[in-house]
Amino acid sequence: MARLISLLVICFLGLAACTDTGPSTLGSDGKPLPKAYKIRGNPATLQFRMLDSVNALRQASGLAPVQLNAQLNAAAATHARDMSVQNRPWHFGSDGSSPIDRAVRAGYPGVFLGEAISETYETEVETLAAWMEEPGPRSVILDPKAVNMGFAWFQENNGKIWWALEMGG
């Protein structure tokens, strides 16, 4: 009898795992709406994942790899947070600073080459794919003079992510 009860309990638990956990929110096209990507874990892991992705794209284009740079990371982090404060993705800081100004303030000793920015709920890989579709960010990421990269983000409580990627030579 105990075996039969145990078997029934296992079957019920198995069926319970297969049930729908509730209604999903559907978009106007009838498909489930995407969920916001929540950044968790060590920030360096995400930075190195982006670095690996950028270097794979650069290698496929016959370009030398870039390395993460602490000063460019700092400039990117400052700007990602500032874009959130301004609630708009653009290249100028709330104090009027340009991307070059932020790299100099952060102590970057090289030549600043460009910046890619985004406001999204998507992952870093989806964001990189979107940047590669646009001529401006694509040329920054694939700049042959680039040797350094900075990458950072700021995620709001609602899930919105402000991404900033900096390239230097």
Side-chain angles (χ1 to χ4, degrees), residues 7-88:
L7 182 60
L8 288 173
V9 168
I10 290 171
C11 289
F12 285 124
L13 289 175
L15 286 173
C18 295
T19 60
D20 188 11
T21 58
S24 64
T25 308
L26 301 178
S28 60
D29 59 0
K31 296 181 181 177
L33 293 173
K35 293 182 180 179
Y37 172 57
K38 185 66 179 165
I39 299 173
R40 292 184 174 88
N42 184 350
T45 302
L46 186 64
Q47 286 178 315
F48 281 109
R49 208 165 42 230
M50 178 60 93
L51 177 67
D52 289 345
S53 298
V54 165
N55 280 333
L57 291 168
R58 290 179 61 82
Q59 181 182 17
S61 297
L63 299 169
V66 294
Q67 295 180 355
L68 280 177
N69 176 274
Q71 291 91 359
L72 290 178
N73 284 342
T78 298
H79 193 53
R81 182 174 287 278
D82 191 47
M83 286 189 294
S84 172
V85 169
Q86 296 181 71
N87 197 33
R88 63 178 171 180

Side-chain angles (χ1 to χ4, degrees), residues 115-129:
E115 176 178 71
I117 58 172
S118 183
E119 164 197 18
T120 184
Y121 292 89
E122 298 176 329
T123 69
E124 71 283 356
V125 174
E126 292 168 314
T127 301
L128 179 58

